[in-house]
Amino acid sequence: MSSEEGNAMKTAKTVMDADGIERSLTRIASEILEENKGVQDLVIIGIQKGGVSLAKRIAQKISKSEKSAVPFGILDITLYRDDILTSNKKPKLGITDISFSLDNKKIILVDDVLFTGRTIRAAMDALMDFGRPKLIRLAVLIDRGHRELPIRADFVGKNLPSSLWEEVAVHLTESDGVDEVIIEEG
Amino acid sequence: MKLSKKDILGIKELSQDEIHLILDTAESFLEVSTRKIKKVPTLRGKTVINFFVEASTRTRTSFEIAGKRLSADTVNISASTSSLVKGETLTDTAKTLEAMNPDIIVIRHSAAGAPHMLARLVRQSIINAGDGAHEHPTQALLDMMTIRMEKGTLRGLNVAIIGDIAHSRVARSNILGLTMMGANVTVCGPAMMIPRDVVKLSVRVSYHMEQAVKDADIIMMLRIQLERQNDNFFPSDREYARYYCLNSNNIRLAKPDVLVMHPGPINRGIEIAPDIADGAQSLILKQVTNGVAVRMALLYLLAGGEE
């Protein structure tokens, strides 16, 4: 590869493996239970697409340890994005499935990577259209910094300082066949 | 993902991929209408003008609700309230509307090609909500969405379209769409209601109801336009009903899981028997629900910033 241009080799580094992800989710699940003192009024909502499988796993861990099913929903935030009308190109809409009331519920919002905070802003606006929750907490597997809005996570799997030109990718068995978090630099 | 054009003028102008994109998007929008707060902020600050030169209740209401659920500002202009009654030409009305800076203009007009003319005249996106006997693309899209959701696919299905094929923009748009998506379409009606060249659209033609509905997966009944009665297309509506009314007898010739559609408004007892229209096999009200979702999808896909 002698050409200088157009050959920016991407170097990928694994920052979290399957065991690491599993341990983080187990810890997050128990932190949620500890803070909430049980499953009373608790609901778990995963943000499309990266947060859905993580939310499902956290919900399963909580349901298993408390022997009581915790409601689980899926939220697509596309229609609430703040950049939706800046281009004619439209993101593909995902499914939203919240088949229970959010009134007076304690919502644990789950996403894979917390970055600018804009997705979480959109998600909170969307949730408010479904009802008036008692509170919303945020759980993320990776917090990579670079916030553009005053938003922070309550439960974090791993803080991963990153530069803006790096890409953080969370791969999960359900969608990618493997559990890993990698960081790529251009 | 984007539509390749600024306007939705007809099914003819769309590709298979674009139809799938529209139907997928519409299916996601169905959920919004079931929420407690049936509104998303997506098209905040956008203006949609519903310019209905020809009378319409369901299509106009459907577009208006679609726009409002996306937070667009919707303005309705109907024939009787527009300057057209004062003698203004369609061109001048169009230029006037353009000068008010809307983002999307939805037009229904009794003249075929009116939306196409508008699309050339103004820079806004135009959606054809029915032009004469030419096309009614949003109806065909909601019909295809309804079929795809019920049957899982359009490919290989036997669809019988029955009624006044010659004067029906619903029939034309559905024929174009369904054949493009791989369905086998049969059109049926009295001979004077079947256009001579319809076979060029790759459809089978039948003049007998029993033949047309045989083995059908979907039967799509068209409204007999009683207001066109003075054109004398058939001797009486009772005679029409005798030969072309879908009822509990002739529907038995179709597949056991056949589903029945009608774009509405229905003439009970003329083209469709009341027990069929209200029966378990009827998709008529689902079509109406899906219509709002399809129109939300089109407004969403067309609205946007400059490239």
Side-chain angles (χ1 to χ4, degrees), chain A residues 15 20 57 59 61 69 105 109 119-120 139 153 158 172-173:
Chain A
V15 290
R57 291 194 205 177
K61 284 178 186 297
K105 289 294 188 311
L109 190 58
T119 299
I120 306 305
K158 186 181 177 67
L172 295 170
T173 317

Side-chain angles (χ1 to χ4, degrees), chain A residues 75-76 78-80 84-97 101 103 126 128-131, chain B residues 1-2 24-25 28-29 31-32 35-37 39-44 46 300-307:
Chain A
L75 181 67
D76 182 81
T78 308
L79 297 170
Y80 290 81
I84 197 80
L85 293 178
T86 53
S87 133
N88 284 341
K89 213 173 146 96
K90 295 287 163 34
K92 194 172 164 61
L93 288 192
I95 295 294
T96 292
D97 182 11
S101 166
D103 287 336
M128 295 301 177
D129 282 356
F130 283 88
Chain B
M1 287 270 238
K2 65 186 283 253
D24 290 345
T25 308
S28 293
F29 270 118
E31 179 268 335
V32 174
R35 295 183 190 177
K36 208 191 276 181
I37 296 176
K39 202 180 190 65
V40 290
T42 318
L43 296 191
R44 213 154 44 95
K46 297 282 169 184
Y300 167 73
L301 291 168
L302 285 181
E306 281 69 53
E307 288 286 283

